[in-house]
Amino acid sequence: MPGFPAGRRDALLIATGIYESPALKPLRSPRQDCEGLAAVLRDPGIGGFQVQQLVDAKSYEVKRALEQFFRNRGREDLLLLHLSCHGIKDDEGHLYFAMQDTDKDLPASTAVPAAFLHDQMARCRARTIVVLLDCCYSGAFLPGAKGDDYVQVKEELAGHGRAILTATNRTEYAWEGDHLEASAPQPSRFTGALIEGLRSGDADTDHDGRITVTELYDYVYEYLHHSGARQRPRMWADLEYRVTLARTAAGRPAADPPAADPPAADTPAASRPAAAGAPSAAESETTSWNSPPAEGEQTPPPGPGLFTRLKDAFNGVDGDGPSPPPHRQLARRGQDALLRVEFPLTETALGTLRDIQVDTAVVCDRCQGAGADAGTPVHPCGRCNGIGTSGPEPGRDTSVPCRACHGSGVRIPFPCHACTGDGRVRVTRTLTLKVPGGVDHGTRIQLAGEGEVGPGGGPPGDLYIEVVELPHPELERRGDDLHLTRRIARSLARGGGTVAVTTLDGSKSVRVPAGLRSGQTLRLVGHGAMHLRGGGRGDLLLHLDVDKDDGRAGPGR
């Protein structure tokens, strides 16, 4: 496909809205989700995917389709999976995707286990897998919503070489549509935002003609946030390269998303999320996950469309979109952060859990991100009229943050004493980092949404952990194999015997065959580092040097 990296671009869209069990309510949006998303993904001018749709299928049909979808793949293939259905849990809290024939009391045999999907992705050779989950997580519903109180999607599905976007976090509801009384099917809010961001090109926030996974997620998050949807999408990414999902006409005016209804009610805002250990997603052609974000780099301001209308509403310009509260700063995404952490060879080779402390910015509790003392006025910036940006400077094609308000869009006569008007305060947090076995020196692990909160209470940036592998006193790592050189006595080499060898699993006794010559190598299968992208481990190669003097040889018997 011209304009995209080498390899196949295949998408599997699974939608289930009709259920045989009366315990699972019918859903209006899945079929519409599937058709709308398929149209933009297969469009050669947008996604360029080969699309397969599976609507209202039985559980065994879906499992068969999933297994076929992930089989016989090449390294350069890009696979996209979209699921729109109910999600349920068993008594032990395991996640299942409900299909037409699902019985809530028998999920293991009548639904699609998340563990099954995880296994298929783990066996797949494709370097890049993108999963879009627009699913409910139990059979308990609010009016017009599908939801559950706790589901560990990240723990169930996250893994290396994957990006996972979900319609909601684990404590919120995934809303089907804007008009609950309407009988006509319509896309869910989450998938509707995905479709609009891809179709209009509005998700191409840097106007480079390409929509990456991260850009699409940022667009959907802001879209739902400003539309008043009572949900916050989540993202986990663990990819080697930036992944391009779609392309646009670079720099073209983006179409405005449809106006959204005012929010039904206020709900606690969830922080912008989390990529299970993983670097950011974007084009596989160029940028490796070992390339750090530029220091102080900020996400470019979003292009025209929904966000322009929101700013116009903020400044009193007529418009049909919801306006943000006038007393708050314009929310901006927080900066990404990079932290280098040292790990011994044992932990990088076999994996580990590590608690790390991070000094970061969080929303000020006193002013809730507004930056002003309670009860004091906040005015739009006089220079930029509350937009937060000014025209392009000489030599630049894009707008720049307003110098008077530093991009906040407001003037604060009486700043909050706790945060001095920034809307954020510094805190030290402890995060538990999961380091997958097989990472090596220089690998960067992305914790999406764990960076600092943006000015004005904006979504947080990402935290990148760079692995610094400490040298081992005896073992040398080369890829997933380990090498160890030992001297043995001539008598041991001549007559055979055993020698004690250091491994990652402790000391091992290795048999030395009789008549061994100096320089020969013995291989200990499965005693090396774990394979990062698949099961199993590398080997330990024991290089034996025969000493001319028995007294100088290493330990053995």
Side-chain angles (χ1 to χ4, degrees):
M1 180 64 61
F4 289 119
R8 292 178 56 90
R9 296 171 64 85
D10 290 326
L12 174 60
L13 311 184
I14 299 172
T16 306
I18 299 176
Y19 299 90
E20 297 174 359
S21 171
L24 295 169
K25 288 188 177 182
L27 299 174
R28 296 175 294 114
S29 63
R31 178 180 292 272
Q32 198 78 356
D33 292 343
C34 189
E35 294 174 355
L37 189 58
V40 294
L41 289 178
R42 68 162 56 101
D43 188 325
I46 300 177
F49 282 86
Q50 296 293 321
V51 180
Q52 175 188 355
Q53 300 179 63
L54 202 60
V55 180
D56 296 331
K58 306 284 189 180
S59 57
Y60 67 87
E61 295 174 327
V62 173
K63 284 188 279 192
R64 181 183 182 89
L66 287 170
E67 187 170 4
Q68 290 177 333
F69 183 66
F70 290 110
R71 285 186 71 244
N72 300 324
R73 290 297 181 176
R75 284 273 296 151
E76 301 304 319
D77 292 350
L78 169 58
L79 306 181
L80 184 148
L81 173 67
H82 178 267
L83 275 166
S84 181
C85 61
H86 281 305
I88 59 177
K89 296 184 299 179
D90 62 16
D91 294 337
E92 296 179 353
H94 297 143
L95 173 63
Y96 297 83
F97 302 108
M99 299 299 132
Q100 186 185 90
D101 59 335
T102 294
D103 184 335
K104 285 188 64 179
D105 295 327
L106 302 171
S109 58
T110 64
V112 177
F116 173 83
L117 176 55
H118 181 280
D119 289 343
Q120 301 310 309
M121 292 191 294
R123 295 187 181 124
C124 182
R125 292 188 67 249
R127 177 165 53 176
T128 307
I129 300 173
V130 178
V131 181
L132 309 175
L133 293 181
D134 195 353
C135 300
C136 51
Y137 300 123
S138 82
F141 282 76
L142 291 178
K146 38 185 180 175
D148 175 81
D149 59 350
Y150 187 83
V151 170
Q152 295 175 307
V153 177
K154 171 180 169 182
E155 289 78 355
E156 294 273 6
L157 290 179
H160 185 72
R162 300 169 203 158
I164 301 172
L165 280 69
T166 67
T168 179
N169 71 15
R170 63 190 182 187
T171 60
E172 297 174 325
Y173 294 92
W175 289 74
E176 278 203 79
D178 295 333
H179 305 286
L180 303 181
E181 71 280 2
S183 58
Q186 56 180 316
S188 73
R189 288 188 170 184
F190 174 73
T191 301
L194 290 172
I195 295 170
E196 181 61 22
L198 295 171
R199 181 194 63 78
S200 67
D202 223 15
D204 179 18
T205 55
D206 60 5
H207 303 291
D208 65 350
R210 295 170 290 188
I211 297 175
T212 67
V213 172
T214 303
E215 286 181 312
L216 183 61
Y217 167 68
D218 287 340
Y219 172 86
V220 171
Y221 183 92
E222 295 297 334
Y223 187 105
L224 296 179
H225 174 66
H226 289 296
S227 70
R230 296 165 58 183
Q231 66 187 82
R232 294 293 179 267
R234 306 280 290 186
M235 171 178 170
W236 295 272
D238 185 359
L239 300 168
E240 293 181 59
Y241 302 95
R242 301 179 66 219
V243 176
T244 298
L245 287 182
R247 57 188 174 187
T248 66
R252 73 181 180 188
D256 285 354
D261 287 350
D266 292 330
T267 56
S271 62
R272 196 176 147 269
S280 72
E283 324 52 308
S284 20
E285 315 92 309
T286 53
T287 307
S288 165
W289 76 336
N290 287 330
S291 299
E295 186 172 352
E297 179 178 288
Q298 296 246 12
T299 299
L306 171 70
F307 308 110
T308 300
R309 291 209 316 275
L310 293 177
K311 293 174 182 177
D312 288 342
F314 175 79
N315 290 295
V317 179
D318 291 338
D320 56 0
S323 60
H327 64 281
R328 297 181 67 90
Q329 301 184 43
L330 292 178
R332 291 169 288 158
R333 185 178 183 273
Q335 289 188 357
D336 294 338
L338 176 65
L339 182 64
R340 292 178 175 86
V341 181
E342 295 181 341
F343 298 92
L345 175 61
T346 304
E347 294 183 352
T348 58
L350 301 182
T352 187
L353 290 175
R354 172 77 68 87
D355 287 340
I356 57 174
Q357 288 194 329
V358 180
D359 180 27
T360 188
V362 298
V363 175
C364 175
D365 288 336
R366 180 165 180 172
C367 66
Q368 296 300 310
D373 267 344
T376 62
V378 175
H379 308 290
C381 172
R383 171 172 284 189
C384 66
N385 294 321
I387 296 177
T389 60
S390 57
E393 293 180 343
R396 299 185 64 171
D397 297 328
T398 57
S399 297
V400 296
C402 173
R403 294 182 177 179
C405 64
H406 304 290
S408 69
V410 298
R411 179 172 61 85
I412 304 175
F414 304 99
C416 169
H417 293 293
C419 64
T420 65
D422 188 43
R424 305 173 296 173
V425 293
R426 307 296 301 187
V427 299
T428 298
R429 293 189 297 145
T430 300
L431 302 177
T432 300
L433 174 67
K434 182 178 181 180
V435 179
V439 298
D440 55 10
H441 184 79
T443 297
R444 288 210 170 108
I445 300 173
Q446 181 197 34
L447 302 179
E450 297 293 353
E452 67 175 32
V453 167
D462 300 335
L463 173 63
Y464 290 81
I465 305 298
E466 181 176 297
V467 174
V468 179
E469 185 177 83
L470 300 175
H472 192 276
E474 296 183 69
L475 300 172
E476 178 187 357
R477 180 176 178 179
R478 302 176 194 171
D480 291 342
D481 291 334
L482 301 177
H483 295 257
L484 174 63
T485 300
R486 293 294 304 272
R487 283 183 173 274
I488 61 173
R490 290 181 62 188
S491 57
L492 178 61
R494 184 182 305 113
T498 59
V499 60
V501 173
T502 300
T503 75
L504 296 178
D505 306 297
S507 181
K508 300 289 184 181
S509 182
V510 177
R511 179 167 297 279
V512 178
L516 182 136
R517 297 187 302 275
S518 183
Q520 283 191 261
T521 299
L522 301 180
R523 182 182 295 270
L524 280 68
V525 177
H527 283 75
M530 295 180 64
H531 298 313
L532 186 60
R533 299 174 186 85
R537 293 170 59 177
D539 301 332
L540 172 61
L541 282 73
L542 175 60
H543 307 281
L544 296 175
D545 290 338
V546 178
D547 202 309
K548 296 180 181 180
D549 182 358
D550 282 1
R552 292 167 52 193
R557 73 174 189 272

